[in-house]
């Protein structure tokens, strides 16, 4: 039995496996510029975040109907459950779909057809986090929040993703303020490729409660001290960092140093179909590469529930944490 855990940094579009991409392409008569799944997998060689994003957005062309989004989410939830995930807070990128003529309603209703019954079907509780694309305009983000209004009962929070460098958090101050007024929780990608100053800005200008990646905080000791003091969770994605070359090789990943600095670290999969592993694969990879102890693995799992947006169901959080504490490593 795998260690129980929450996944807090997972882009649902990044769970599109080549097999499902071709199946959906067939469903809609979309021609993908790859002969087959093997040839597509060979394209998964990335130099940086942008080279990945190019393929990530290209493959979204096959996601068109509610059924497609339902199938995508159900495949993820089945894989996640098999890896010990009990709770998943799932990102989606509505602007990338709306730009192709796929409505907010199609995306949210489709995802909800899977998420709304994932406890019964997969034993996984879920939350949805709507991300704004930071390489789009602030006005576009505001329009996206407006388009989400009819669906806010299904959306727990907002996030910020896509190409980081050159798109500082402060650009989205207004939309985050509006989101907070609507009662939405706030997270943002910061310090993945961008500088530590973007992490500080995400905290101060956007009021984020959790930082996605946050890896580069280690370049700024005063920021580390602040993140420790304020107990700001970081959602790290080790296999992603290696594939997108934020880190050269896994043994050089700063996770161990981050844990030892007292940071509230969690381990997640980001875009598992593209980066060679789902969340338990990330846990095992860092255990092996960094020599993490069983108690450090347990702490990562405990942190994942502590950092999750379960304030509306503390009983559930306590149940999940008790399962982590009772877990017997083989
Ligand atoms: N969108 C999907 N994955 C992402 C990542 N790792 N960073 C920024 N935007 C993303
Ligand atoms: Zn991400």
């Amino acid at each position: 039995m795998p260690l129980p855990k929450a996944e807090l940094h997972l882009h649902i579009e990044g769970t599109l496996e080549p097999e499902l991409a071709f199946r959906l392409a067939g469903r809609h008569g979309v021609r993908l510029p790859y002969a087959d799944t093997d040839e597509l997998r060979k394209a998964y060689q990335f130099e940086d975040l942008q080279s990945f994003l190019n393929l990530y957005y290209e493959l979204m062309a096959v996601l068109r109907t509610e059924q497609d989004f339902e199938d995508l989410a159900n495949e993820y939830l089945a894989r996640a459950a098999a890896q010990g995930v009990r709770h998943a807070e799932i990102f989606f990128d509505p602007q990338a779909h709306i730009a192709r003529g796929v409505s907010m309603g199609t995306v949210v209703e489709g995802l909800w057809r899977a998420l709304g019954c994932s406890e019964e079907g997969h034993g996984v509780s879920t939350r949805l986090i709507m991300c704004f694309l930071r390489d789009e305009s602030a006005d576009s983000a505001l329009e996206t929040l407006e388009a989400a209004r009819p669906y806010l009962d299904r959306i727990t929070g907002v996030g910020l993703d896509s190409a980081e460098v050159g798109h500082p958090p402060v650009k989205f101050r207004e939309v985050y303020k509006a989101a907070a007024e609507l009662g939405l929780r706030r997270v943002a990608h910061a310090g993945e490729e961008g500088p530590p100053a973007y992490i500080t800005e995400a905290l101060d200008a956007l009021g984020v409660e959790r930082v996605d990646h946050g890896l580069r905080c280690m370049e700024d000791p005063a920021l580390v001290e602040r993140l420790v003091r304020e107990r700001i969770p970081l959602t790290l994605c080790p296999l992603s960092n290696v594939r997108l070359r934020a880190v050269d090789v896994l043994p050089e990943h700063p996770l161990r140093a981050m844990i030892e600095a007292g940071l509230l670290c969690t381990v997640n999969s980001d875009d598992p179909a593209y980066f060679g592993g789902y969340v338990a694969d990330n846990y095992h990879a860092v255990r092996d590469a960094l020599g993490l102890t069983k108690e450090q693995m347990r702490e990562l799992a405990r942190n994942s529930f502590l950092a999750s947006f379960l304030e509306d169901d503390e009983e559930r959080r306590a149940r999940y944490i008790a399962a982590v504490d009772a877990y017997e490593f083989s």
Side-chain angles (χ1 to χ4, degrees):
M1 194 186 74
L3 177 63
K5 55 183 76 69
E7 171 133 81
L8 306 178
H9 185 154
L10 180 281
H11 303 264
I12 197 66
E13 297 90 346
T15 69
L16 180 62
E17 292 283 346
E19 290 72 19
L20 181 59
F22 273 93
R23 211 161 73 235
L24 298 183
R27 185 181 285 176
H28 300 301
V30 171
R31 227 193 72 76
L32 291 173
Y34 306 92
D36 52 30
T37 54
D38 285 344
E39 195 179 300
L40 175 53
R41 277 208 169 81
K42 288 202 186 97
Y44 292 7
Q45 308 276 347
F46 309 114
E47 268 96 65
D48 55 15
L49 175 56
Q50 188 60 57
S51 65
F52 154 69
L53 290 171
N54 294 342
L55 183 61
Y56 170 81
Y57 292 126
E58 177 183 275
L59 286 191
M60 284 185 201
V62 303
L63 296 167
R64 299 195 164 192
T65 62
E66 284 188 24
Q67 185 69 54
D68 301 341
F69 286 94
E70 178 184 359
D71 292 348
L72 180 70
N74 268 326
E75 286 209 358
Y76 163 66
L77 289 164
R79 285 197 166 86
Q83 299 226 340
V85 173
R86 299 283 184 88
H87 177 76
E89 302 194 348
I90 298 174
F91 296 144
F92 69 110
D93 283 333
Q95 286 156 294
H97 308 302
I98 292 168
R100 302 180 290 110
V102 177
S103 72
M104 178 73 81
T106 299
V107 180
V108 177
E109 299 283 5
L111 292 175
W112 201 255
R113 275 160 54 167
L115 269 50
C117 55
S118 71
E119 272 221 81
E120 303 79 48
H122 301 283
V124 180
S125 54
T126 59
R127 298 285 186 274
L128 258 184
I129 299 179
M130 177 175 81
C131 287
F132 304 116
L133 301 182
R134 66 201 307 153
D135 44 358
E136 297 292 332
S137 69
D139 281 347
S140 172
L142 282 163
E143 283 163 23
T144 306
L145 184 61
E146 205 48 48
R149 269 185 188 269
Y151 309 100
L152 288 184
D153 56 335
R154 290 163 191 195
I155 297 173
T156 296
V158 295
L160 187 64
D161 64 2
S162 201
E164 186 181 7
V165 175
H167 302 284
V170 69
K171 178 173 155 190
F172 299 95
R173 189 197 291 271
E174 193 183 340
V175 75
Y176 269 70
K177 183 166 178 282
E181 284 166 5
L182 289 167
L184 293 163
R185 310 297 298 264
R186 286 155 292 162
V187 301
H189 284 53
E192 179 186 19
E193 283 190 346
Y198 282 18
I199 300 173
T200 304
E201 210 177 281
L203 295 170
D204 293 337
L206 307 185
V208 302
E209 302 165 83
R210 209 158 70 194
V211 173
D212 295 314
H213 292 295
L215 200 65
R216 290 191 59 193
C217 73
M218 295 304 275
E219 296 167 29
D220 180 348
L223 174 59
V224 170
E225 199 190 301
R226 175 182 180 184
L227 293 167
V228 170
R229 193 176 58 245
E230 296 182 12
R231 300 280 291 158
I232 305 289
L234 305 179
T235 63
L236 297 159
C237 307
L239 291 176
S240 163
N241 296 148
V242 174
R243 290 296 187 101
L244 301 187
R245 307 205 189 167
V247 169
D248 286 338
V249 288
L250 211 48
E252 287 174 23
H253 197 284
L255 173 65
R256 194 195 168 102
M258 296 174 90
I259 294 170
E260 286 167 1
L263 288 162
L264 208 167
C265 297
T266 67
V267 165
N268 308 272
S269 69
D270 207 4
D271 302 284
Y274 294 88
F275 301 149
Y278 283 76
V279 68
D281 304 318
N282 274 268
Y283 272 69
H284 296 152
V286 289
R287 177 197 62 198
D288 295 345
L290 305 175
L292 298 187
T293 65
K294 288 174 180 169
E295 285 317 305
Q296 284 173 319
M297 297 285 280
R298 194 190 303 280
E299 182 187 335
L300 290 170
R302 201 183 290 118
N303 286 351
S304 71
F305 293 113
L306 290 172
S308 61
F309 292 147
L310 277 168
E311 280 77 3
D312 57 352
D313 197 350
E314 290 295 350
E315 210 172 282
R316 177 187 297 278
R317 192 200 311 269
R319 213 174 335 118
Y320 288 149
I321 291 175
V324 173
D325 290 341
Y327 182 76
E328 287 181 29
F329 288 90
S330 51

